[in-house]
Amino acid sequence: MEGLNIGFIFIIFVLVIIVLAFFLYLVPVGLWFQGILTNVRVSLIQLMFMRFRKVPPSVIMNAMINGKKAGLNLSPDLLEAHYLAGGHVQRVVNALISAEKANIPLDFKSATAIDLAGRDVFDAVQMSVNPKVINTPPVAGVAKNGIQLIAKARVTVRTNIKQLVGGAGEETVLARVGEGIVAAIGSSLTHKEVLEHPDFISKKVLEKGLDSGTAFEILSIDIADKAEERRAMAVALEQEMKAEAQRSRAKVIEAEAEVPKAMADAFRSGNLGIMDYYRVKNIEADTAMRDSIAKPGTSKGDKGDKK
C-alpha cells in the first residue's frame, strides 16, 4: 500500500508540474511583471490572448519596453496587428527610435507601411542620417570630336523617407546617372573639355533632377575619367611606329657596318683602287661639311664666338 501511495503522489506531482508549466506558458507572468517594472501596462489577459492569436508576447513586450525607454508610446494592439500582417515589429520600433533621436519625421503608420512594402525601414533611416556612396559601372560616351571617354561616377545619396513606398531603387538611380554622363560627354565639343573640367558632367547630371520618383536624394556626383579608348589606340599605334622606325635604323646601322668590310674585300680583289678610295673619303668629308653648315651653332666660327 505504501508503494502505491508513493507512486500516486509522484504521478500527482508530475501532473502539477505539467499544469503549472502550461499555465506559465499560456500566461507569461514574467513578461507581465517585467512590464510593470518598466511602466509598460499590458494585462495578463491580453498577453494570454496573444498566445491564442499565435503572436509571441515576448516580441510585443520587448518592442514596447524599448520604445518606452526611448520616449515612444506604442500601442500593443497596433504592434500585434503589424506582426500578424507579416511585418518586422522590432525593426519598425528601432527605426522609430533612430528617427526620433535624429529629428527625422517618421510616424508609426509610415514606418509600418515602408516595412510591409518590403524595404528595410531601419536601414533607410540610418541611410538618411549617414548618406551612402554607390559607384556606377564604367560608362562610355563620345565627344563631338570623335574621342570616346569611359567614365565612372561616385554617387552620394540619402534616403527620401517619403518616397520609400513606391519609389524606384538604386538600379534606377545608377541607370539615370549613366545616361546623364553619356549625354554630358556627347554635348562637349572636345574630350579635352571633359578631362580638364570633370565637374562639368556633375553639374549637367545634377541639373536633370535624376532622383525624381526614386527612394533616394542625390547629394553629389563625383566623376572619375577612366580611359580614352581611341586615344589609347592612337598612342599604341604611335609607339608601334616608333618601334618599327628603331628597327629600321638598326638595320641601316648594321648595313653601314658592312661597308668597311666590303671596301676591304674590294681592295684585295683589285676592284677598288687607292684613288677611288680617296674620292670616296673626299665625298664623305664634303657631305659632313655641308651638314655642319646646314645646322646652325655647330660651325667653327660659331664655336669661337661662343668662347
Side-chain angles (χ1 to χ4, degrees), residues 91 112-121:
R91 187 182 298 173
T112 53
I114 294 169
D115 184 58
L116 293 177
R119 297 188 182 273
D120 191 334
V121 61

Side-chain angles (χ1 to χ4, degrees), residues 275-289:
M275 295 304 298
D276 296 326
Y277 176 76
Y278 279 123
R279 279 196 293 269
V280 170
K281 299 301 290 183
N282 287 335
I283 291 172
E284 290 180 352
D286 184 65
T287 302
M289 182 181 67

Side-chain angles (χ1 to χ4, degrees), residues 100-159:
E100 176 70 18
K101 299 301 182 184
N103 293 323
I104 297 175
L106 179 65
D107 55 24
F108 182 82
K109 184 178 180 180
S110 300
T112 53
I114 294 169
D115 184 58
L116 293 177
R119 297 188 182 273
D120 191 334
V121 61
F122 178 68
D123 184 63
V125 173
Q126 291 295 309
M127 195 187 300
S128 182
V129 177
N130 300 314
K132 177 182 179 182
V133 176
I134 54 179
N135 297 312
T136 65
V139 180
V142 180
K144 290 183 178 180
N145 64 345
I147 299 296
Q148 185 184 62
L149 298 177
I150 301 177
K152 293 182 67 177
R154 292 169 56 86
V155 186
T156 304
V157 297
R158 68 181 174 192
T159 307

Side-chain angles (χ1 to χ4, degrees), residues 6-288:
I6 294 175
F8 180 75
I9 294 172
F10 178 75
I11 292 173
I12 295 298
F13 177 77
V14 171
L15 290 175
V16 170
I17 295 296
I18 293 174
V19 171
L20 182 61
F22 179 75
F23 175 80
L24 292 176
Y25 169 77
L26 191 63
V27 183
V29 179
L31 287 175
W32 172 74
F33 185 69
Q34 185 180 2
I36 292 176
L37 294 178
T38 55
N39 200 25
V40 175
R41 303 295 181 180
V42 181
S43 65
L44 275 174
I45 300 298
Q46 192 171 4
L47 291 174
M48 184 176 65
F49 284 163
M50 288 182 189
R51 294 287 191 193
F52 289 113
R53 288 189 289 266
K54 296 183 179 180
V55 177
S58 59
V59 173
I60 305 301
M61 284 297 296
N62 289 335
M64 291 191 64
I65 291 172
N66 291 339
K68 190 69 175 179
K69 290 181 178 179
L72 301 177
N73 292 318
L74 302 174
S75 169
D77 293 333
L78 293 178
L79 291 176
E80 190 176 351
H82 184 62
Y83 180 88
L84 291 173
H88 301 83
V89 173
Q90 192 61 53
R91 187 182 298 173
V92 169
V93 173
N94 290 340
L96 291 171
I97 294 173
S98 296
E100 176 70 18
K101 299 301 182 184
N103 293 323
I104 297 175
L106 179 65
D107 55 24
F108 182 82
K109 184 178 180 180
S110 300
T112 53
I114 294 169
D115 184 58
L116 293 177
R119 297 188 182 273
D120 191 334
V121 61
F122 178 68
D123 184 63
V125 173
Q126 291 295 309
M127 195 187 300
S128 182
V129 177
N130 300 314
K132 177 182 179 182
V133 176
I134 54 179
N135 297 312
T136 65
V139 180
V142 180
K144 290 183 178 180
N145 64 345
I147 299 296
Q148 185 184 62
L149 298 177
I150 301 177
K152 293 182 67 177
R154 292 169 56 86
V155 186
T156 304
V157 297
R158 68 181 174 192
T159 307
N160 187 347
I161 300 292
K162 296 180 180 179
Q163 293 289 338
L164 274 177
V165 179
E170 290 185 14
E171 294 80 7
T172 301
V173 173
L174 293 177
R176 290 182 180 180
V177 170
E179 182 181 353
I181 292 173
V182 173
I185 294 176
S187 65
S188 302
L189 294 177
T190 66
H191 67 286
K192 293 181 180 179
E193 293 181 1
V194 180
L195 295 177
E196 293 174 359
H197 305 285
D199 58 329
F200 166 77
I201 299 180
S202 302
K203 294 177 181 178
K204 284 288 186 182
V205 174
L206 287 173
E207 288 174 359
K208 294 180 178 294
L210 302 179
D211 52 6
S212 176
T214 68
F216 303 97
E217 178 185 354
I218 298 178
L219 300 179
S220 65
I221 299 176
D222 300 318
I223 302 297
D225 55 286
K226 181 185 177 185
E228 297 177 73
E229 188 172 332
R230 295 187 183 178
R231 175 174 287 273
M233 293 174 62
V235 171
L237 180 61
E238 182 182 0
Q239 291 177 349
E240 184 177 353
M241 293 176 64
K242 287 182 178 179
E244 183 64 28
Q246 290 177 353
R247 287 193 292 269
S248 298
R249 285 196 295 269
K251 290 181 180 179
V252 171
I253 294 173
E254 183 179 357
E256 289 178 348
E258 296 294 328
V259 171
K261 296 180 181 179
M263 293 180 65
D265 292 338
F267 270 122
R268 284 193 294 269
S269 62
N271 294 327
L272 182 66
I274 189 65
M275 295 304 298
D276 296 326
Y277 176 76
Y278 279 123
R279 279 196 293 269
V280 170
K281 299 301 290 183
N282 287 335
I283 291 172
E284 290 180 352
D286 184 65
T287 302

